[in-house]
Amino acid sequence: MSGQEDTGTVKFISSDGLSYEVPFNAARMAKSIIQEDTLGDLGEDTSFQIVKVSSAILEKVINYCKHYQEEKMQDIVTPLKGEHIGDTVKPDWYVTYCEGMEFETLFKISVAANFMDIKPLLDMCCFLIGLKARGKSTRELCNIFHIPDPGNGGGGVDGRNSGDEAME
């Protein structure tokens, strides 16, 4: 690997047009965006449109990837060691990263991690979604995931037909 790959940057451009300078070592975690065999061809002005990820979410993904280069997250192994995030996710920076995060934000980050193929981030998000879903009723899960509640005749989460939601 050349020195430029260690110290250079690329630009990630969010779906809403904001541009972020990302160090090569952090950007390469996005395996669906940057393939290993193309790293030598990247220059300082190389940019990648991340069309499915908003700036608010892309910023969080980039922060995760940058920190991962400084302090790798331990793999999440099963069976799980406990029932709280801090029992399984190490080091503590990653726990702090997730604490208090709204479910919708966490879900959007997991979609971004899946789209960008960032396995450690996707693993952590899926683990946290599972923790947040544990112990919830069917109705609560339907509301969380914005899916029709099977108990209300197939309507949307608030009882309307699911087609009505697209019209708003």
Side-chain angles (χ1 to χ4, degrees), residues 20-121:
Y20 298 88
E21 292 284 330
V22 184
F24 281 139
N25 63 352
R28 67 191 313 187
M29 288 184 71
K31 294 187 183 342
S32 70
I33 308 300
I34 300 178
Q35 288 76 36
E36 287 294 320
D37 60 344
T38 62
L39 281 174
D41 299 332
L42 300 179
E44 286 294 322
D45 60 346
T46 303
S47 62
F48 297 92
Q49 291 281 338
I50 316 295
V51 295
K52 294 186 178 186
V53 183
S54 71
S55 58
I57 299 303
L58 185 57
E59 189 171 323
K60 291 180 183 309
V61 169
I62 292 168
N63 286 341
Y64 175 94
C65 292
K66 285 179 178 179
H67 187 81
Y68 192 90
Q69 299 311 306
E70 298 169 16
E71 180 180 41
K72 294 203 181 333
M73 185 180 79
Q74 293 177 5
D75 290 339
I76 296 174
V77 295
T78 55
L80 299 175
K81 297 176 184 173
E83 296 189 19
H84 303 285
I85 181 175
D87 298 333
T88 303
V89 175
K90 303 284 184 199
D92 291 337
W93 183 90
Y94 297 97
V95 175
T96 304
Y97 173 85
C98 299
E99 282 181 336
M101 193 177 286
E102 296 280 331
F103 182 84
E104 191 163 331
T105 300
L106 178 62
F107 190 76
K108 287 177 180 179
I109 291 171
S110 72
V111 170
N114 186 49
F115 172 70
M116 297 172 75
D117 193 14
I118 305 172
K119 186 178 180 342
L121 179 56

Side-chain angles (χ1 to χ4, degrees), residues 1-15:
M1 180 162 54
S2 73
Q4 182 179 357
E5 292 168 7
D6 289 335
T7 61
T9 62
V10 295
K11 289 182 182 143
F12 280 178
I13 302 171
S14 68
S15 63

